[in-house]
Structures are given as structure tokens and as C-alpha cells.
Amino acid sequence: MNAVRDTTPATGASGIHRLNPLTKLAFAVTVTVCAFAVVDYWWPLLLFGALLLPAAIGAGVLRRFLLLLATFWVPVAVVLFLVQGFFLPDAHDVIAQLGPLKLKSEGVSFAFLTALHILVLMSGFFLLLLTTHAGAFMSALSERNVSPSLIYIASAALQIVPALSRRATRILHAQQARGQVIHGLRGRARALIPLMGPLILGAFTDVGERAAAMETRGFGATRHPTSLTTVPDSGAQRCLRAALMLCAVAAVTVNVWGVMR
């Protein structure tokens, strides 16, 4: 059964894979800030179509990129349309009615714009997830003397989707080996309930094991640790990161200036 596919970031040979993780992080943050800074439908669509989608194609991760969007963004967008479309305050232009519920155009417009903003946000960080090894990301942050607590939080966020995907796949295989038959959509829905228990309990077990492992490795020690992995960087990438941050600051400044006017 392929109900849960592996979304772990494979070691790729593309130029995006070889970039410093901080460069990809700066790119994800910048496109997110720029998307939220402009209140218009075409702008996040332009960022997604002109920057994020070609980047996923160039990195060779398009299939997994779209799979993650279908798994995480589509449900969020559906909930947004339902909640905002029917229950947005001060909306009056009714375009459809379902019993006592009224679908309003202002709510649909607001939900559509918010969903596009979230699409850019998720796409930028999914691209980072799929093209960056967690160890390289931690080493890059450690070389900048970032707090170990922040490094752990960032690394855990980067690994949560691949880790849960691998664990869910192992649980499904174990259940099928014990005779559970899964056919069609209804069978997959029935398999979801026995899957969630071991998945959640296993996640809690991982927390305890990680805590013990970090304690034995001197997590939180005041001395700067020596890294076995050196993450390549260059002056061009440092300039690119500075330019990206300037773009983010400029987008926020334009947004604030427009609001104040």
C-alpha cells in the first residue's frame, strides 16, 4: 500500500541542493514576507509560479513538493473557504445559500487571498525541507553561534514530516503483515484509526529518547562544539542572503507605508 509516501529529502546534485541551508532559509522567509506584504491575488500567484514552482522543478523534487502541498495546503484551503465563506463578520453579498447558511462573496475573496498567502508560505519551507539535510542545516546554524535550543527547534521542525512519514509507513507495513487487508478508499479510512494510536505514542517515545540522547551529548554546554561537517558557503551566497533580507524589509516598509497613508 502506498497510502503514505516517503517525503524525506534525498541527497540531490542540483544547484539548489548544494546551496547553503541559510540561503534557502532566507529565500523561504523572503518570499513569505513578500507574499503577505501585498494584498492582491496576482502577487502570491506570481511568486509561486515564477519562483517556487520552477525552483522545485530545477531541484528535481516536484512530485514530492506537490504531494506535500496536496496533503497539507489543500485541507487548510478547504477549511478557510468554509469558515470564511459562511461566517466572515460584516459580509453581506450573498452568492449562495445552503439552508440557514449563506455563502458570501466577501468571505470567499478573503479566504482565497489567505489561502494563496499560505500557499507561498508552505511552498517556500517545503522546498527547504526537500532540498536540505537536517544535519547540514544544524551545522550551518551552529557555525553562526546560534543558540542550541533554537537549533534543536529548527531541526525538529525540519524533520517532523519525514519522521512521521517513515514511522507511518512502518506501522502500515506491520499491520499488513499481521493480516490487515486494505482495499479502496473505505479500507484506507478504516486503517487510519489503528494507525494514529501507534503513530502518536511513538512520537511521544521519540521525545524521551531524543532528550536522553541530547543530554549524553552535552546539549546546552557553554563551550562551542566542534562540527564534523563543514557546510560550504561563499561570498556570492552571503551577498544573495543580504539582498533577500533587504527585499523582505522593503516589502514590509511598502506595506506599512501603504497602511499609514
Side-chain angles (χ1 to χ4, degrees):
M1 172 185 171
N2 293 324
V4 179
R5 293 185 176 90
D6 190 13
T7 55
T8 52
T11 303
S14 70
I16 295 176
H17 282 85
R18 293 194 298 270
L19 287 174
N20 188 284
L22 296 182
T23 303
K24 289 178 276 189
L25 177 63
F27 174 75
V29 171
T30 300
V31 293
T32 300
V33 171
C34 290
F36 279 86
V38 178
V39 185
D40 205 328
Y41 301 114
W42 64 268
W43 181 241
L45 283 173
L46 179 64
L47 290 174
F48 180 78
L51 294 178
L52 294 163
L53 201 57
I57 295 172
V61 295
L62 180 62
R63 185 183 65 84
R64 288 179 291 168
F65 177 76
L66 295 177
L67 174 63
L68 284 174
L69 287 179
T71 304
F72 293 98
W73 177 74
V74 170
V76 171
V78 171
V79 171
L80 274 172
F81 274 98
L82 292 176
V83 173
Q84 300 297 338
F86 286 106
F87 304 108
L88 182 70
D90 301 325
H92 306 289
D93 186 13
V94 178
I95 57 176
Q97 187 164 353
L98 184 63
L101 300 178
K102 297 179 180 179
L103 185 66
K104 305 176 183 70
S105 62
E106 297 93 338
V108 172
S109 298
F110 180 77
F112 184 57
L113 181 60
T114 305
L116 290 178
H117 288 160
I118 295 174
L119 172 66
V120 174
L121 184 153
M122 287 187 174
S123 298
F125 285 95
F126 285 160
L127 189 63
L128 172 68
L129 167 71
L130 293 171
T131 60
T132 306
H133 192 277
F137 187 65
M138 293 181 66
S139 297
L141 292 176
S142 180
E143 290 172 3
R144 270 70 180 181
N145 296 320
V146 177
S147 167
S149 299
L150 293 177
I151 293 176
Y152 173 73
I153 292 171
S155 175
L158 196 66
Q159 297 180 71
I160 186 169
V161 173
L164 289 177
S165 175
R166 289 193 299 269
R167 181 176 291 277
T169 301
R170 289 197 297 268
I171 293 170
L172 283 173
H173 288 167
Q175 290 173 343
Q176 287 180 301
R178 293 186 179 100
Q180 182 174 0
V181 180
I182 301 172
H183 291 299
L185 184 60
R186 182 176 297 180
R188 294 184 182 186
R190 284 199 303 266
L192 185 62
I193 296 175
L195 169 68
M196 295 306 296
L199 187 64
I200 294 173
L201 291 175
F204 282 117
T205 303
D206 280 347
V207 170
E209 293 176 351
R210 281 174 181 254
M214 291 192 308
E215 188 174 347
T216 57
R217 293 172 184 175
F219 181 79
T222 54
R223 291 187 177 183
H224 185 67
T226 301
S227 177
L228 295 176
T229 304
T230 301
V231 181
D233 200 3
S234 63
Q237 288 196 62
R238 287 190 288 270
C239 291
L240 177 60
R241 289 197 293 270
L244 289 170
M245 291 298 101
L246 286 175
C247 288
V249 172
V252 172
T253 302
V254 170
N255 180 268
V256 172
W257 178 258
V259 171
M260 291 180 64
R261 292 184 61 185

